[in-house]
Amino acid sequence: MLIETERLMLRPFETKDVQDLYSYLHTPSVHCFMDMKLETMEDARNGIAERMNDTTGLYLAIVLKENGKVIGELFAGPESTDPTDSVQDTYSPCWMLNSDYQGKGYAYEAAHAYYDLLFNKMSARRIYT
């Protein structure tokens, strides 16, 4: 899956993204992502493998079109709103960006495209944060 915006591509993670993943998760800028902190490059390789093995197809790298650098990621797992309901049409998206790329509108641009994916391709009924 590839989603393009004016300045970004949203795509599945690839093995070559390991250094970029390490760059923004070695020192996460937001406290709620501290449990995702990567101490070593081996941790980063394992993190890439986990992202590449995602079966939902909703774990996407945020990539700058101009140079192919991964500057962050998005994820939203499908869930049902009622334990007795098997329809999983509710999503709680999250995203994080490398702190060097914050304040430039990339998160808004990526999230806007991602919400479009959830509502129009994944048939989301509800999104919450």
Side-chain angles (χ1 to χ4, degrees):
M1 172 183 320
L2 175 67
I3 300 168
E4 291 194 49
T5 68
E6 182 181 337
R7 302 176 296 166
L8 306 171
M9 292 183 300
L10 308 180
R11 61 155 173 80
F13 278 88
E14 300 172 358
T15 305
K16 68 180 181 176
D17 301 330
V18 69
Q19 182 63 50
D20 292 340
L21 180 74
Y22 182 79
S23 292
Y24 66 85
L25 284 179
H26 180 63
T27 53
S29 61
V30 179
H31 183 68
C32 65
F33 295 122
M34 289 306 287
D35 64 334
M36 298 175 75
K37 183 177 179 174
L38 302 174
E39 297 292 341
T40 66
M41 285 301 288
E42 183 63 28
D43 292 341
R45 282 187 282 282
N46 292 336
I48 288 291
E50 289 172 16
R51 286 156 176 78
M52 290 174 59
N53 290 327
D54 169 53
T55 59
T56 66
L58 294 173
Y59 222 131
L60 299 176
I62 303 171
V63 183
L64 290 175
K65 277 185 176 179
E66 69 185 42
N67 61 13
K69 180 169 184 60
V70 174
I71 62 168
E73 62 189 73
L74 299 132
F75 175 75
E79 56 189 74
S80 59
T81 55
D82 181 338
T84 63
D85 187 359
S86 64
V87 177
Q88 295 188 323
D89 59 1
T90 300
Y91 298 84
S92 177
C94 65
W95 54 86
M96 68 180 88
L97 284 181
N98 183 319
S99 59
D100 293 340
Y101 296 89
Q102 293 175 3
K104 298 175 177 21
Y106 293 130
Y108 174 83
E109 189 174 330
H112 188 269
Y114 196 66
Y115 278 41
D116 185 60
L117 165 75
L118 293 174
F119 278 118
N120 295 314
K121 301 281 192 253
M122 304 306 293
S123 300
R125 182 178 62 86
R126 180 184 324 188
I127 292 177
Y128 70 96
T129 56

